[in-house]
Amino acid sequence: MDAVADTSGGAVAPGSDADSASRKEHIVRTVFLFVIPFLMITMMFATYMGTMHSPHPRDLPVAVIGNGAEAESIKDALSGDAVEARSVPTREAAVDLLRDQEIVAALQPPANSGEPAAILTASAAGASQAATARQLLTPVAVAANWTVVSDEVAPLPDGDQAGISVMFAAMGMMLAGYVPLSIMLQNSPQLLRLRRFLPVMLGWAVATSTIIWLIQGPIVGAIDGHYLVYLGVGLLATSAVGLAQLLFSKILGPLAVLLGMLLWVSFGMPSSNLAMSIHTMPEFFQFLHGVLPLPAAGEALRAALYFDGRGVGAHLAVLGVWIAASIVLILLRERSASGKTAPGAPPLDAELPALAGGPIRSKRFRYATLVAFPLSILVVVVGLMSFAMHKPTPHDIPVVVIGTGAEQTAAGLNAQMDKILDVKVADSVDQAVEDIRAQEIVAAFELPTSAQGPATLYSSSAAGSSQQMMVQAIFGQIAAAQQMQLQTDDVTPLHDSDTMGSNSMYVGMSWIMSGFLLLAVLRGGAPHLRRFRQFLPHLAGWAIGMSVWLWFLFDVLIGAVSAPVGQLIGFGAITIFSVSLATAVFTRLFGIAAIVPVMVVLMMAGVPASGGGLSLYMVPEFFRSLHDVLPLAAAVDIARSLVYFDGVGTGQNLATLGIWAAAGVVLNVLVDQYLERREQAQEGRAEIAEQDQELAARV
């Protein structure tokens, strides 16, 4: 347990110039400490919200199979701002281009009248990319009065149906290279010399790559084999990021954490082509796709796992360039005396804490912390996210049936779709639609009113686009099996500024991250704020200020979120304040090390439990049980309700946040009492030791 150390300096006479200077220094340091989390949160969520709130295709490369006039006319019809079409002579040529990832889909017209057209895709190159291509090509086939069949030339494996394994593996490699440097700078500055750092980094890269493979392979089952692939890519990717971060640290000192976060995280994800197709991102990020380590690592893994290594050399070369350039620049930097360490690093012979703000520790303990802290973050991110999202499986989806024969239909569906659907009967369409908007059910299936009439499926994309697509697919198959037409009704559609339905998740995550990140910075950089009453005003001011800023960023600057301003700011401030109160309990008791379990509870477990990205009815039941407990789930529900559902249900979410806040207040008061008793005990022991020394001197 980390003691609360006072690093404000020695005693000074009240009212003296030294006292005044000390106060000014404390004020400047405290203000600066607020700037760091402000910049981190702004960089991350401005980039994520700005690039992903309304992605649309830009020159999506597709092919039309055939050489005749028909193929040329289809190619000409497709070509535009969204699609860049080309002609290929044969299906085999199109398959080669798909496997080389030079195109994302191909349309094969029918060979003979009455035969279907085929849309060739490679979901292993990106599930969302393949879906986008199908959405663009299908209307062309329908306009030509063709039926359409899907032809998957590179499907995702059963263990990775969401196609996210390479994304989380690559993210883990970035974390393995990035996180240790921020600790090493203050924990073990003697390791910042390249000749010492390089062998440590190589061993660390091998160990972390092995751990990532163990998590996604034998433990989670997302991949089968390919250990050497993970080892080789991980060795290069982790070393590339680690060496580059060492270079940044030698130039910028502690501020290198901001540059690293910008490159490896904020810019890395939108340019990675791992979550969203790079062909839906702005041109700047398409350029970064061929430059940054995260896309290079992810694409190298994807090529090796799913495409027999096609194109892997170019991605590995990017990582090699980062390694070589970093080594050369570090050596040049170390030729000067100042380049042998880093700005802001403590003297090499100083006695140091294991983590900022903690007690002085031995070198062995510091080394253990240098390994354990980043490793725990790595395991949490890769392990928890891979477990929760690698194989989304529909279960217990609440739906209702309406119309004549509804009870019989509901009984039949419950028998046939056991554990997938939870079917009940509704009295009317109006009541069912109201329940959908209240998010008590996912969909309503209205039976045909006549023998030849269509059935209607009511759902809401605003309540979750992934679950809407899920129920549409399920009831589409049910209607086809019964040979009935099915029409759909989106009772609350997504806004044009939120085409993926992810905005509420980013809003909620920004509130949660604002709450716990501040405490991590204050614990390490402002140990003079020791009592609850001292930092309580800081937390309140931060909560209000960040909530106002995030509203301005998301609504005014980006134009992604439109909700009642006062409510959005108010609920945001409450969320940030509640999370900061809860986090303070743990950081005050256990120091910065407490950020890992706090991050697990407040952020990592909250993502699958929130329903903000993947539907609650597609993740393991464990996370669904956390939905009404965790702050992130409450924050996402609040943001979604304010934007789309007129604030319905926010009272329950506010109660969840209130419980967290109340518990934080009570526990912080108890922590005050505990720390006071501990300090008195320490002072007593110090006094006894001093008396013993005086007695020994007399003897």
Side-chain angles (χ1 to χ4, degrees), residues 384-397:
L384 193 57
M385 293 296 98
S386 297
F387 166 71
M389 306 175 75
H390 79 285
K391 193 174 183 179
T393 304
H395 61 89
D396 302 318
I397 308 168

Side-chain angles (χ1 to χ4, degrees), residues 398-402 426 428-446 456-464 467-468 471 489-493 617 640 644-645 648:
V399 299
V400 298
V401 179
I402 310 161
S428 67
V429 170
D430 290 342
Q431 181 60 51
V433 168
E434 185 178 338
D435 290 342
I436 291 172
R437 287 176 174 156
Q439 301 182 62
E440 295 179 4
I441 62 174
V442 171
F445 184 61
E446 184 184 20
T456 303
L457 181 69
Y458 299 89
S459 60
S460 170
S461 57
Q467 67 185 22
Q468 183 192 54
V471 295
D489 188 337
D490 192 345
V491 300
T492 313
Y617 304 103
R640 178 187 287 141
Y644 291 109
F645 300 106
V648 174

Side-chain angles (χ1 to χ4, degrees), residues 295-364:
E299 294 284 25
L301 286 173
R302 176 183 279 163
L305 293 179
Y306 304 134
F307 295 99
D308 301 322
R310 294 190 181 199
V312 70
H315 304 302
L316 297 181
V318 172
L319 300 175
V321 169
W322 276 92
I323 292 173
S326 297
I327 289 176
V328 170
L329 293 174
I330 290 169
L331 288 173
L332 291 175
R333 178 71 177 170
E334 289 187 351
R335 293 180 67 180
S336 65
S338 61
K340 291 180 171 57
T341 178
L348 299 182
D349 57 351
E351 295 183 340
L352 301 171
L355 293 171
I360 300 301
R361 296 293 191 182
S362 66
K363 182 180 291 187
R364 180 178 297 179

Side-chain angles (χ1 to χ4, degrees), residues 355-377:
L355 293 171
I360 300 301
R361 296 293 191 182
S362 66
K363 182 180 291 187
R364 180 178 297 179
F365 190 94
R366 299 201 308 270
Y367 285 165
T369 303
L370 183 59
V371 172
F373 187 75
L375 188 61
S376 60
I377 295 177

Side-chain angles (χ1 to χ4, degrees), residues 70-71 74 107-110 112-118 137-138 140-149:
E70 183 181 52
I74 294 173
L107 175 61
Q108 183 175 24
N112 300 297
S113 177
E115 293 184 356
L137 296 179
T138 299
V140 175
V142 172
N145 295 317
W146 300 331
T147 57
V148 180
V149 296

